[in-house]
Amino acid sequence: MKQYKVGIIGATGMVGQRFTLLLENHPWFTVTVLAASGRNKGKTYAQAVEGRWKMKTPLPEKYKDMVMYDASADAEQIASQVDFVFCAVDMKKDEIRALEERYAKLECPVCSNNSAHRMTPDVPMIIPEINAAHTEIIPAQRKRLGTKRGFIAVKSNCSIQSYVPALSALMDFEPTEVAVCTYQAISGAGKTFDTWEEMVDNVIPYIGGEEEKSEKEPMKVWGHIEGDHIEPATVPVITAQCLRVAASDGHMAAAFVKFKHKPSKETMIERWKNFKGTAQELNLPSAPKQFLTYFEEENRPQTRLDRDLEGGMGVSIGRLREDALYDYKFVSLSHNTLRGAAGGAVLMAELLCAQGYMD
């Protein structure tokens, strides 16, 4: 595979830091640019993250002396030095939309971790195992933007990564209604227990905007390309509640599902165990060998035990049983900053490279 030079926009935040670790020894991607807000311009990366490094793994030596760019003011200079960028900035949504479109119009593809463009009709929101074909909307987006090479692709919300893969393996049984409650780790808010003492021994039953994302984003993932846009699916209807819980990493979901054609429990488990997607077929570097793992034990999956499954890129499922109101209920878990954030974006970029969109 061709080697690509990449930039990390928003490199000082928690997801940006996670990108540096995932890309440290990546077989296809070499980080040549680190950028963040203007206040960090001219600093070394070590200086920019001093006292702010939130990863358990130490800051890699190869990044320490890299000089930071201003993500906005230096956009043209950055775009000229890289093949594409990963974007994980902390800005207002309208500012993010403008920044990402600016890079795209500079003919620099953007693999975004941000939510600003997730519902833009011609921007693919990709989970590579589920809707890899949505990259086919990119020519329509390029036409709108007036670009030859530049485009924006986004990864989906971290919370839906736990239950949407489990449901996606069962779509031919036509799920009609889904109720889900997510229990989301504090790293999803860019926090640690050292910086968010309020979360110690606590549960907060509100995460701003999260329930709307959890109900709407799966519909785009399950949608189809129609002309110059992605037409969202209309079923199943999803209702969600999202809670912040005292876990460092890992988003868990308790899901209830009703089907038009109810499968057997044994069929569902077999589907999960054998489910593969384009990421596995292409043998992408970050793709988990086993995407979905079903645990027979009654007390699994557990956040601390199972979030790092397949290097944090696998999804674990358990406690499947029949339900009095719905057909079935189950519990599922994914690592929110790996599968749900930086890792999911890296896997998406690998897919885009394999399909030729970065050439």
Side-chain angles (χ1 to χ4, degrees):
M1 174 58 73
K2 173 183 171 181
Q3 299 296 302
Y4 297 85
K5 296 177 181 179
V6 306
I8 303 173
I9 310 301
T12 56
M14 181 175 276
V15 175
Q17 292 175 21
R18 180 68 78 182
F19 273 124
T20 66
L21 296 181
L22 290 173
L23 298 173
E24 181 184 6
N25 299 302
H26 195 280
W28 299 357
F29 306 151
T30 301
V31 177
T32 57
V33 171
L34 297 173
S37 64
R39 65 178 178 272
N40 289 302
K41 182 174 179 175
K43 294 180 181 178
T44 65
Y45 188 57
Q47 291 170 335
V49 298
E50 186 176 2
R52 300 174 57 197
W53 185 254
K54 297 176 181 178
M55 300 292 103
K56 295 172 184 175
T57 305
L59 170 62
E61 288 292 330
K62 68 187 296 182
Y63 301 116
K64 285 185 176 179
D65 295 326
M66 289 182 69
V67 177
M68 299 289 296
Y69 287 82
D70 183 326
S72 299
D74 299 331
E76 290 188 12
Q77 190 177 356
I78 293 168
S80 70
Q81 296 182 57
V82 299
D83 295 305
F84 65 92
V85 295
F86 292 103
C87 190
V89 294
D90 183 11
M91 300 164 63
K92 294 178 180 177
K93 280 195 177 183
D94 57 343
E95 294 173 348
I96 295 173
R97 278 192 285 268
L99 182 69
E100 292 181 344
E101 286 207 1
R102 184 178 175 195
Y103 275 92
K105 288 178 178 178
L106 288 168
E107 301 294 355
C108 179
V110 178
C111 291
S112 178
N113 187 77
N114 302 300
S115 65
H117 272 294
R118 285 185 194 151
M119 301 314 291
T120 302
D122 61 7
V123 171
M125 181 169 61
I126 300 167
I127 301 175
E129 288 88 350
I130 298 170
N131 64 334
H134 281 195
T135 58
E136 294 171 13
I137 196 65
I138 289 172
Q141 185 194 147
R142 283 172 169 163
K143 184 177 180 180
R144 174 178 64 84
L145 294 174
T147 61
K148 293 182 179 179
R149 186 172 178 274
F151 66 89
I152 302 162
V154 299
K155 55 149 288 298
S156 65
N157 183 264
C158 52
S159 68
I160 78 168
Q161 305 279 340
S162 56
Y163 59 93
V164 164
L167 293 169
S168 295
L170 308 168
M171 291 305 283
D172 58 329
F173 298 111
E174 299 184 50
T176 57
E177 297 175 24
V178 175
V180 64
C181 189
T182 61
Y183 305 87
Q184 302 183 205
I186 63 172
S187 57
K191 305 283 190 179
T192 65
F193 288 116
D194 291 334
T195 59
W196 201 4
E197 293 182 4
E198 179 188 7
M199 276 309 306
V200 177
D201 190 30
N202 200 14
V203 173
I204 297 177
Y206 174 73
I207 306 172
E210 201 74 3
E211 286 156 2
E212 181 182 14
K213 295 174 188 174
S214 296
E215 293 170 355
K216 289 188 175 181
E217 289 189 18
M219 311 316 288
K220 185 174 181 180
V221 170
W222 290 324
H224 64 277
I225 294 174
E226 197 168 289
D228 61 356
H229 68 283
I230 296 169
E231 185 69 25
T234 56
V235 288
V237 176
I238 300 175
T239 182
Q241 286 204 109
C242 300
L243 287 72
R244 188 72 71 191
V245 298
S248 56
D249 295 298
H251 287 356
M252 183 173 283
F256 303 77
V257 57
K258 185 177 289 186
F259 294 96
K260 185 175 180 180
H261 309 289
K262 182 181 177 181
S264 69
K265 181 179 176 181
E266 292 74 23
T267 297
M268 292 173 69
I269 293 172
E270 191 68 22
R271 286 290 185 89
W272 288 334
K273 288 180 176 178
N274 294 318
F275 187 69
K276 297 182 185 300
T278 303
Q280 286 71 37
E281 293 165 4
L282 293 174
N283 197 27
L284 300 177
S286 300
K289 298 293 185 240
Q290 184 68 37
F291 181 35
L292 307 179
T293 296
Y294 184 78
F295 287 96
E296 300 285 353
E297 297 92 331
E298 290 184 348
N299 63 347
R300 302 282 288 278
Q302 291 182 26
T303 299
R304 198 163 66 179
L305 288 179
D306 302 313
R307 62 190 169 201
D308 292 319
L309 194 72
E310 294 279 346
M313 292 297 287
V315 175
S316 49
I317 309 166
R319 300 212 67 213
L320 176 64
R321 58 231 192 267
E322 295 202 31
D323 184 70
L325 295 177
Y326 291 77
D327 289 327
Y328 289 103
K329 51 193 169 188
F330 62 86
V331 173
S332 52
L333 171 74
S334 63
H335 195 301
N336 58 298
T337 67
L338 288 168
R339 166 55 72 167
V346 171
L347 184 61
M348 176 177 70
E350 293 167 359
L351 172 70
L352 290 162
C353 290
Q355 293 180 330
Y357 290 102
M358 298 299 197
D359 296 338

